[in-house]
Amino acid sequence: MLKLEPAITKDAQKLAEIQKVSFDEESKHFNNNEIGGPFGYDSISWQVEMMQNCEYFKVLFDGEIIGGALIFIGNNQVHNLGRIFIDPNFQNQGIGMKVMNEIERIFPDSNKWWLDTPSWCVKNHHFYTKCGYTKVREEDDLYIYEKTL
């Protein structure tokens, strides 16, 4: 059973651990073996800070935390998917797609979503396109995607 719930402080360590392994795995394969992730991805204190500054959800599968998603609520019903991550042991099973659909269900007032992802994240590009996002521009080493509902 897949479920999204608001993340709480006691989840911070587990969420940081999952982000670290998820983003490190991605960067190892697609970023010339340079391991790393976005700012704060491996920091417990950053996870707690984000729980206070955005809508931070933990992704539960049969009661176990297997990932997370950070949503920044914008103006005019435009929201930013700041980050989504799934433990590599649970990837390629349709879970990410279900999480994306659930996020849209949780925020029915949103009429547009946007996100950014590194240009080298080929796997992400495919995933976001599959979720209905369109690449609208490039900024530095990032691709910006949008989805209008």
Side-chain angles (χ1 to χ4, degrees), residues 13-25:
Q13 181 174 343
K14 181 70 172 175
L15 291 165
E17 290 170 1
I18 294 171
Q19 276 189 78
K20 179 160 178 40
V21 70
S22 178
F23 287 114
D24 286 355
E25 180 74 15

Side-chain angles (χ1 to χ4, degrees), residues 69-72 78-84 96-97 99-105 107 110-117 124-137 143-149:
L70 287 76
I71 312 299
F72 294 91
V78 176
H79 301 332
N80 169 240
L81 176 60
R83 196 170 291 179
I84 182 172
M97 181 69 77
V99 169
M100 295 292 273
N101 290 334
E102 183 65 9
I103 288 168
E104 289 178 11
R105 189 194 67 74
F107 297 96
S110 179
N111 58 27
K112 187 182 222 179
W113 287 88
W114 73 274
L115 59 88
D116 60 49
T117 191
N124 288 359
H125 305 164
H126 174 73
F127 173 69
Y128 294 132
T129 300
K130 189 175 173 183
C131 291
Y133 284 77
T134 302
K135 185 176 103 174
V136 294
R137 69 183 179 279
Y143 287 178
I144 311 302
Y145 284 81
E146 290 182 353
K147 180 178 183 179
T148 301
L149 302 176

Side-chain angles (χ1 to χ4, degrees), residues 35-55:
I35 295 176
F39 181 81
Y41 82 114
D42 57 353
S43 165
I44 294 170
S45 62
W46 188 86
Q47 308 308 313
V48 173
E49 181 181 338
M50 288 300 102
M51 289 172 198
Q52 297 164 358
N53 294 318
C54 71
E55 302 291 328

Side-chain angles (χ1 to χ4, degrees), residues 77-93:
Q77 300 164 316
V78 176
H79 301 332
N80 169 240
L81 176 60
R83 196 170 291 179
I84 182 172
F85 54 95
I86 303 293
D87 183 317
N89 294 319
F90 292 89
Q91 291 179 7
N92 302 312
Q93 299 176 33

Side-chain angles (χ1 to χ4, degrees), residues 2 27 31 56 65 135 145:
L2 188 70
S27 63
N31 195 21
Y56 195 153
I65 298 175
K135 185 176 103 174
Y145 284 81

